DNA sequence: GCACTATATGCAAACTAGTTGCGTTTGTCA
DNA sequence: TGACAAACGCAACTAGTTTGCATATAGTGC
């Protein structure tokens, strides 16, 4: 997710590029970590661009609708977002410091797809997506 | 999770078996579906044993601490609980009607363990658990 | 069966994440 | 530079969950 190309893309679709929107796009293009609305709010404050929480929630919803962000199902109770431009991947979540790291799942993906096919047959489900998270402790917190 | 043996176990640990506690244990031992606090509250009402929501939340916390229930990471925003006595498994979530079905993952588990080992080496993470959910549409909602 | 006491419960209020309505500001284009 | 719709801020609201405190009750000993 390149901030420059994203803003150009949005502009061609007729959307405005406000300072808040630009900053939020910049935040997500400079990290692969899943962020919450609160994370974004605090980051904007730190950067000297304080914004109302309503604006943050609406902007995340907007970027989601534009398929520039995607929701991540992680820790219960709080919605996390990450750039949608990343390759499909999974997460590694430290149960102590709560840091989240992306994992490239190439080798396992095939196995998941195989299971998904079998499940579809057995249960009558059509599977369109999946999420896989690993919980444990990072090098620091062991 | 056998309701009878659970209550006996709790009694030997010095915990009381109130009617609410007994009913909640009974609910979880008679289903494999992950339930929310609200689900439990409504079920208790239906059964003719209305209980305050605070009690439900405290009871779920208690059973979690006793390792008789476990949290399930599913749809964002609401905590789901299920019996901890079930074999390790994953979930199938219908994006339309929100119903949740358990999936026995035998064949895929090996692949996940393999990935987990590699990840541990690469990132310095120690992995103690994982969650895998499939999203799609059930036979009814297709 | 009765009294005692700590555990479990109910109620009300608070808290957190997220949402909505509405009036105001501002980015973009002519 | 002015017009106007998109984006914004504010305040109030909702849902899920938590907390403090006073009350009820399960389990123990008499």
């Amino acid at each position: 997710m390149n901030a420059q190309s994203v803003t150009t893309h949005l502009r061609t679709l007729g959307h405005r590029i406000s300072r808040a929107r630009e900053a939020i796009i910049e935040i997500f293009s400079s990290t692969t970590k899943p962020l919450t609305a609160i994370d974004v709010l605090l980051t904007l404050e730190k950067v000297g661009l304080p914004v109302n929480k309503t604006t943050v929630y609406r902007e995340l919803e907007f970027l989601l609708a534009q398929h520039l962000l995607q929701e991540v199902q992680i820790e219960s109770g709080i919605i996390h977002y990450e750039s949608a431009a990343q390759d499909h991947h999974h997460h590694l979540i430290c149960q102590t410091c709560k840091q989240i790291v992306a994992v490239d799942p190439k080798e396992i993906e095939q196995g998941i797809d195989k299971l998904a096919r079998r499940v579809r047959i057995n249960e009558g489900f059509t599977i369109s997506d999946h999420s896989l998270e690993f919980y444990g402790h990072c090098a620091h917190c062991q």
Side-chain angles (χ1 to χ4, degrees), chain A:
Chain A
M1 181 168 171
N2 174 278
Q4 182 76 42
S5 67
V6 166
T7 53
T8 308
H9 171 69
L10 288 177
R11 241 187 271 263
T12 63
L13 291 176
H15 299 291
R16 295 183 187 171
I17 306 303
S18 63
R19 285 193 300 163
R21 175 163 295 166
E22 193 165 26
I24 292 174
I25 290 169
E26 181 58 41
I27 288 169
F28 279 101
S29 52
S30 63
T31 183
T32 62
K33 281 192 205 303
L35 303 174
T36 65
I38 311 291
D39 292 334
V40 173
L41 197 70
L42 294 177
T43 306
L44 288 172
E45 266 173 26
K46 264 189 225 156
V47 171
L49 207 126
V51 156
N52 191 277
K53 65 175 177 168
T54 307
T55 303
V56 172
Y57 281 108
R58 280 201 272 237
E59 197 55 35
L60 293 176
E61 192 184 353
F62 169 80
L63 294 172
L64 200 62
Q66 300 299 316
H67 304 289
L68 296 168
L69 292 185
Q70 57 193 358
E71 284 191 26
V72 186
Q73 314 289 335
I74 303 186
E75 223 185 326
S76 56
I78 306 169
I79 306 175
H80 289 69
Y81 298 85
E82 67 181 10
S83 163
Q86 298 177 61
D87 284 339
H88 176 78
H89 62 277
H90 301 302
H91 297 101
L92 215 52
I93 299 145
C94 178
Q95 289 167 315
T96 304
C97 70
K98 308 294 178 195
Q99 80 154 303
I100 300 164
V101 175
V103 186
D104 179 337
K106 279 191 194 73
E107 288 168 43
I108 205 166
E109 219 58 25
Q110 216 179 354
I112 293 180
D113 287 343
K114 208 171 112 188
L115 176 61
R117 267 197 303 281
R118 236 191 29 261
V119 163
R120 191 183 52 214
I121 293 163
N122 289 344
E123 312 271 356
F125 255 80
T126 309
I127 292 171
S128 54
D129 200 7
H130 66 258
S131 79
L132 171 60
E133 271 77 49
F134 293 100
Y135 296 87
H137 297 280
C138 69
H140 242 93
C141 296
Q142 281 172 34

